[in-house]
Amino acid sequence: MEVLHSNIIGSGFPLIILHGYFGMGDNWKSQANNLSGDFEVHLVDQRNHGRSFHSEEFSYELMVQDLKHYFEVKNIDKAIVLGHSMGGKTAMLFAVEYPELVEKLVVADIAPKYYAPHHHTIIDALNSVDFSILKLRTEVDDILKQSIAEEGVRQFLLKNVYRKTKTEMAFRFNLKSLTENNSEVGEALPAYTTYNGEVLFLRGQKSDYILDDDFALISAHFENAKIETVSNAGHWLHAENPSEFYNKLIAFIK
């Protein structure tokens, strides 16, 4: 079984960070640097993302098994697990399946509910990129710009462009598998699963991923959950209001 790629920063009690869809561990580098004085921060790339292995198979159950294997290989007995968006879904399922491995759980801007597939625009735009023709990152941006107006979203996606050879660029994520398995990303946490440890849900004030209506479902799965809102932030709350995100996070985990 292949081991997930990670970047480990700092020393102390292990803190695992799981990125969102089309992301990678490096998206969390500035937060990790701030946390590295107190924690051994593991910026993990989930399967089909970043520098981790590519697979035709993609589901939360598989990502949980990948993480369990990672814990074994790195000799981690217990860790704080933080997940954003898709990574938050992985983190929740990991906590209900392996509660003995999770000291505390932090879920950033995602609820345990089902989300209808809603990344079609991004997936279509990414699939319209032809690396046999395009040789510059700016040219890739020009293609994405035709469908994706938000510059922040494009910059986030462009972080995945790298030079595969001297003459050819490619995406780090496995676009084929993510396209075919897109419906998996919205899957709900299975019914009647619970984790009784301490949990912090952080939502962006401008995001609609965690609604007030979701609080009851969150409590049903996580009886010791606290829900807090990061002001002036959307779905990428750790990047949009990093200081408030960090302050709420550190107050919970220290």
Side-chain angles (χ1 to χ4, degrees):
M1 190 173 175
E2 293 188 71
V3 185
L4 296 171
H5 175 271
S6 68
N7 184 6
I8 302 170
I9 301 170
S11 59
F13 192 78
L15 168 59
I16 311 288
I17 299 183
L18 302 172
H19 60 81
Y21 200 34
F22 292 114
M24 59 177 97
D26 273 3
N27 298 146
W28 285 80
K29 202 144 186 203
S30 54
Q31 286 287 348
N33 287 334
N34 291 335
L35 293 159
S36 62
D38 300 297
F39 299 95
E40 179 184 86
V41 186
H42 294 246
L43 295 175
V44 175
D45 290 345
Q46 299 185 86
R47 69 166 56 204
N48 290 327
H49 289 79
R51 290 176 170 81
S52 280
F53 58 89
H54 286 191
S55 169
E56 288 178 11
E57 296 179 305
F58 186 72
S59 70
Y60 286 115
E61 189 52 59
L62 289 167
M63 288 192 277
V64 163
Q65 293 313 312
D66 294 341
L67 188 58
K68 173 78 163 48
H69 183 56
Y70 181 85
F71 269 61
E72 289 163 1
V73 170
K74 301 291 182 187
N75 294 315
I76 299 170
D77 300 324
K78 208 163 202 180
I80 296 163
V81 181
L82 185 169
H84 172 240
S85 199
M86 177 191 83
K89 286 269 182 92
T90 306
M92 286 187 269
L93 186 58
F94 185 80
V96 302
E97 290 198 2
Y98 300 106
E100 70 282 0
L101 298 178
V102 181
E103 177 70 22
K104 289 183 178 181
L105 175 65
V106 182
V107 180
D109 214 53
I110 199 83
K113 67 181 177 184
Y114 169 78
Y115 291 82
H118 58 285
H119 297 96
H120 299 306
T121 308
I122 287 176
I123 287 173
D124 291 347
L126 292 170
N127 277 297
S128 69
V129 172
D130 183 352
F131 284 117
S132 67
I133 304 167
L134 305 175
K135 302 298 174 200
L136 298 169
R137 192 177 290 254
T138 50
E139 295 173 335
V140 179
D141 189 34
D142 287 339
I143 297 291
L144 297 181
K145 208 178 279 181
Q146 293 169 21
S147 328
I148 304 168
E150 306 91 332
E151 190 183 357
V153 176
R154 294 199 312 275
Q155 291 307 316
F156 166 74
L157 295 168
L158 286 166
K159 284 198 172 106
N160 289 282
V161 176
Y162 77 109
R163 291 221 167 269
K164 195 162 108 178
T165 64
K166 275 187 177 167
T167 56
E168 194 185 357
M169 297 189 299
F171 290 125
R172 288 211 182 273
F173 45 65
N174 182 355
L175 183 57
K176 184 173 183 289
S177 183
L178 296 182
T179 300
E180 289 167 3
N181 296 296
N182 180 40
S183 61
E184 293 289 335
V185 179
E187 284 300 310
L189 194 62
Y192 309 112
T193 52
T194 57
Y195 169 73
N196 301 328
E198 288 183 73
V199 187
L200 174 64
F201 280 78
L202 288 170
R203 62 174 181 167
Q205 184 187 14
K206 299 176 186 170
S207 170
D208 60 1
Y209 273 75
I210 299 181
L211 305 170
D212 291 359
D213 291 353
D214 299 324
F215 289 9
L217 179 64
I218 288 171
S219 299
H221 287 286
F222 306 102
E223 62 182 37
N224 291 312
K226 291 195 328 188
I227 304 164
E228 295 193 24
T229 304
V230 176
S231 62
N232 297 315
H235 187 52
W236 280 280
L237 59 181
H238 57 290
E240 293 172 45
N241 191 343
S243 55
E244 189 178 325
F245 181 91
Y246 174 81
N247 290 338
K248 287 183 185 299
L249 172 65
I250 205 80
F252 175 71
I253 61 178
K254 271 193 91 171

